[in-house]
Amino acid sequence: QTSLVLTMIFLSFFKTLVGKEVAVELKNDVVMTGILHSVDQYLNVKLLNVQVVEPQKYPQLIALSNCFIRGSVVRYIQIPPQHVDVQLLQDAARQENAPASAAATTSKA
């Protein structure tokens, strides 16, 4: 239940980044930058205008222009600070924790 809610919070957050440039680091250490085109409930992402950060290390990826990345192979998604809506994330965290906090307070009484 909690995992599903967290996934939905992240999904909602990432949907606000569609059209913005992000960097995606994969578990195999490849880092790509591109425009976030879409994200789904499994946190799979599609990038447009892809560039590999270290093309000399991964020459086979130089010709890549668009790509689909399975969520399970993503280590990090780096977001430029100006695109992070801190208020949105804080509100989502408060909303998610509110019922648990209320229940804990009630059980202590």
Side-chain angles (χ1 to χ4, degrees):
Q1 176 72 6
T2 302
S3 177
L4 176 63
V5 172
L6 287 175
T7 300
M8 296 310 292
I9 289 172
F10 279 111
L11 176 60
S12 297
F13 175 69
F14 281 115
K15 283 189 179 276
T16 68
L17 298 172
V18 168
K20 307 280 194 298
E21 185 166 353
V22 296
V24 179
E25 181 177 336
L26 307 180
K27 290 180 180 176
N28 65 357
D29 297 325
V30 173
V31 181
M32 295 180 247
T33 61
I35 305 298
L36 182 63
H37 179 265
S38 62
V39 60
D40 66 16
Q41 71 269 23
Y42 302 107
L43 301 180
N44 299 320
V45 296
K46 183 174 181 183
L47 295 179
L48 306 176
N49 304 327
V50 175
Q51 293 187 334
V52 178
V53 171
E54 295 180 276
Q56 70 284 359
K57 196 171 177 183
Y58 306 102
Q60 70 275 22
L61 299 176
I62 291 173
L64 195 62
S65 61
N66 303 323
C67 69
F68 175 87
I69 304 170
R70 183 181 166 115
S72 64
V73 301
V74 174
R75 181 179 294 149
Y76 299 111
I77 296 181
Q78 300 169 10
I79 306 158
Q82 66 269 25
H83 297 312
V84 178
D85 186 345
V86 176
Q87 189 64 45
L88 175 72
L89 292 174
Q90 288 175 343
D91 290 347
R94 279 192 206 100
Q95 188 176 21
E96 174 55 30
N97 289 323
S101 299
T105 305
T106 306
S107 65
K108 289 181 182 178

